[in-house]
Amino acid sequence: MRGEVSVSGAKNAVLPILAATLLTDEPCLIRGVPNLRDSATMLKILRAIGKNAEFDKGVAAVSKNKHTSFIADYKLVSTMRASFCVLGPLIAKLKKAKVSLPGGCVIGIRPVDLHLKGIKALGADISIESGYVVAKTKQLKGNHMYLGGIFGSSVLATDNVMMAATLAKGKTIIESAACEPEVVDLAEFLIKMGAKIKGHGTPVIEIEGVKELHGATHTVIPDRIEAGTFMIAALITAGDITIKNVFYQHLGGVIDKLEEAGAYIIKTDHSVRVCRKTRIKPVNVTTLPYPGFPTDMQAQIMSLMSITRGISVITEKIYPDRFMHVAELNRMGARIQREGPHAIVEGIKKLSGAPVMASDLRASASLVLAGLVASDKTSIHRIYHLERGYENLEMKMQKLGARIWREKE
Ligand code: EPZ
């Protein structure tokens, strides 16, 4: 694959940013919103809660509607876990919230105990009733809390509590906060709305509560995981791709690992060019919270390692069961053995095309990458998973020379 491709706005930044518009009655304008299933779901939730939420050519315009509800129902929340991050804004703005618990996920056990711990620490009464979190408060009060879990910091728990704390009385300090660029982007948007936040991007975030927040306009950061996926596409196809609209600073852990594997990467302010000068080498990878190697790139680098001569060990420290793609890659002839949170990958010369099943967003991306270099045809089923997080993926890949197309099931 050769040529240039431009990355869309970050899914994992836009979802909490859209939820944050619930913190004000004034209009907000969000630019760089990717046209994804998940963006559409969050806009649906905002409408159900009582917002006018229009989307057109990457711009979401959100404003107050006449009726307001404090309920995020199971039907919508069960389709997208990230919708749970309306809890913080609702309890802060409306002093009550009823939000469905997210339910199961194929990538592993994903509790929300840290979210509830943080919101409780701000003084909300919380109960679980018929699968819903019911939260009430007369007034949230700032507090000092530790939000680290057994797998380290939590991105959406940090987002939820940070949003709630913006309208709490007094100061809140969140220790072991997530440092992901998407958390920083949310904080930047909240600050534009009038919030007082310091330390975002570090493990200690300080929020001084204010009486109210106003409307704001914001452009979402580029999607570093989409960018990382195209970096692997360049390496796995022995191509040369320039990925535009990227902040390479957000990809430190990925760039470091790919350079260790033999990638040749040229970074400029808003683009990265990726190709390979030598044969790709096997590398061991361990997923970690940001700035470590992202779990959302684990499946994609496994595809690359599956055709890289030698042994590589991939260790999943965030979601120890996030290996649904292993069986599908092995269906294509890969030699991957799973040992608890580790996958031992013995690289082979060539994968063979096969019908495979997508199980989640990043697993489906790894199957697309494997299909690009497998002999014959690979048909990937359940691609609705892909549409949740990649905007126009096949069109972007076709422009780079990939033979990828959509067929009716
Ligand atoms: C965000 O999910 C991303 N989603 C995920 O991306 C990403 O994999 C994850 O962060 C980790 O980077 C969005 O931003 C919408 P976590 P989140 O809370 O916030 C445990 C993708 O492919 N935990 O940081 O839900 C949890 O089980 C998606 O785009 C608790 O124990 O993840 C996990 O092991 C998939 N208790 C670890 O923390 C809690 O209350 C990190 O999860 C919350 C989390």
Side-chain angles (χ1 to χ4, degrees):
M1 291 166 76
R2 297 181 181 286
E4 292 188 351
V5 64
S6 198
V7 158
S8 303
K11 167 183 80 79
N12 292 347
V14 84
L15 299 177
I17 284 173
L18 287 172
T21 63
L22 292 165
L23 289 163
T24 179
D25 290 334
E26 294 184 15
C28 294
L29 208 61
I30 315 297
R31 295 202 173 90
V33 176
N35 186 7
L36 302 170
R37 264 172 194 269
D38 281 9
S39 316
T41 304
M42 188 56 90
L43 291 168
K44 256 196 227 138
I45 289 173
L46 293 184
R47 291 186 200 109
I49 289 176
K51 289 280 188 182
N52 292 324
E54 307 305 325
F55 175 71
D56 183 37
K57 299 194 188 68
V59 178
V62 182
S63 59
K64 184 169 178 0
N65 193 337
K66 25 194 185 326
H67 81 91
T68 298
S69 156
F70 58 92
I71 301 172
D73 75 15
Y74 174 74
K75 218 166 62 267
L76 284 170
V77 174
S78 58
T79 63
M80 181 182 74
R81 295 183 58 80
S83 11
F84 194 70
C85 70
V86 299
L87 175 66
L90 286 176
I91 184 73
K93 182 77 170 59
L94 304 176
K95 312 263 182 294
K96 57 186 173 186
K98 183 177 177 184
V99 179
S100 168
L101 281 164
C105 178
V106 290
I107 69 175
I109 301 161
R110 300 178 72 183
V112 292
D113 56 314
L114 297 172
H115 298 242
L116 303 184
K117 175 184 174 187
I119 303 283
K120 259 192 208 143
L122 294 177
D125 300 328
I126 289 196
S127 56
I128 307 294
E129 296 164 18
S130 338
Y132 280 78
V133 171
V134 178
K136 292 189 204 72
T137 184
K138 287 202 181 56
Q139 167 64 53
L140 295 181
K141 293 192 186 57
N143 200 347
H144 187 135
M145 65 186 78
Y146 179 84
L147 219 51
I150 47 177
F151 300 102
S153 58
S154 160
V155 173
L156 287 177
T158 303
D159 291 344
N160 237 334
V161 177
M162 179 168 67
M163 288 190 275
T166 57
L167 294 178
K169 225 177 179 48
K171 178 187 272 192
T172 296
I173 295 179
I174 304 175
E175 281 193 52
S176 189
C179 305
E180 271 69 2
E182 295 77 21
V183 173
V184 174
D185 204 30
L186 171 63
E188 296 295 343
F189 174 57
L190 293 168
I191 290 168
K192 284 181 187 160
M193 296 171 80
K196 294 196 174 130
I197 303 175
K198 283 190 296 190
H200 42 298
T202 77
V204 181
I205 299 179
E206 283 188 29
I207 306 111
E208 188 68 49
V210 295
K211 276 212 167 14
E212 60 180 12
L213 294 173
H214 49 72
T217 297
H218 183 76
T219 301
V220 177
I221 57 172
D223 195 312
R224 62 193 168 103
I225 305 299
E226 183 192 358
T229 304
F230 277 106
M231 294 169 81
I232 303 268
L235 297 172
I236 204 168
T237 62
D240 185 337
I241 303 177
T242 299
I243 304 155
K244 300 201 318 193
N245 185 30
V246 177
F247 295 153
Y248 70 83
Q249 299 85 343
H250 294 170
L251 284 156
V254 175
I255 290 174
D256 177 63
K257 194 48 71 176
L258 295 183
E259 284 179 337
E260 184 191 330
Y264 180 66
I265 300 177
I266 302 166
K267 296 169 270 186
T268 69
D269 284 357
H270 294 303
S271 75
V272 284
R273 179 176 166 203
V274 182
C275 60
R276 59 190 200 181
K277 292 268 178 259
T278 62
R279 176 206 298 274
I280 292 294
K281 297 188 287 287
V283 288
N284 296 332
V285 178
T286 299
T287 66
L288 292 167
Y290 188 86
F293 189 92
T295 172
D296 295 347
M297 283 296 300
Q298 180 253 95
Q300 296 94 313
I301 200 165
M302 190 183 287
S303 294
L304 178 63
M305 290 297 115
S306 72
I307 58 154
T308 299
R309 200 177 305 162
I311 303 287
S312 50
V313 178
I314 296 180
T315 302
E316 179 51 68
K317 283 235 169 137
I318 307 292
Y319 301 109
D321 296 320
R322 192 179 198 171
F323 288 113
M324 297 292 283
H325 40 287
V326 169
E328 299 304 308
L329 289 171
N330 284 346
R331 281 177 50 73
M332 299 175 74
R335 288 207 201 111
I336 307 168
Q337 213 183 316
R338 168 123 187 250
E339 302 275 340
H342 310 287
I344 294 111
V345 185
E346 184 193 343
I348 60 163
K349 222 164 164 349
K350 186 113 183 121
L351 294 167
S352 47
V356 289
M357 191 71 77
S359 54
D360 62 85
L361 171 57
R362 308 305 171 182
S364 39
S366 76
L367 298 176
V368 168
L369 293 166
L372 290 167
V373 289
S375 58
D376 307 323
K377 187 170 95 169
T378 297
S379 49
I380 303 169
H381 300 263
R382 297 189 185 161
I383 51 169
Y384 52 80
H385 288 292
L386 211 56
E387 291 155 356
R388 296 192 55 177
Y390 292 95
E391 186 179 37
N392 303 329
L393 185 69
E394 79 257 24
M395 187 206 56
K396 289 183 180 183
M397 287 193 157
Q398 283 163 358
K399 281 209 180 118
L400 296 165
R403 283 179 296 146
I404 177 169
W405 65 97
R406 197 173 281 255
E407 273 179 7
K408 278 250 163 299
E409 186 72 69

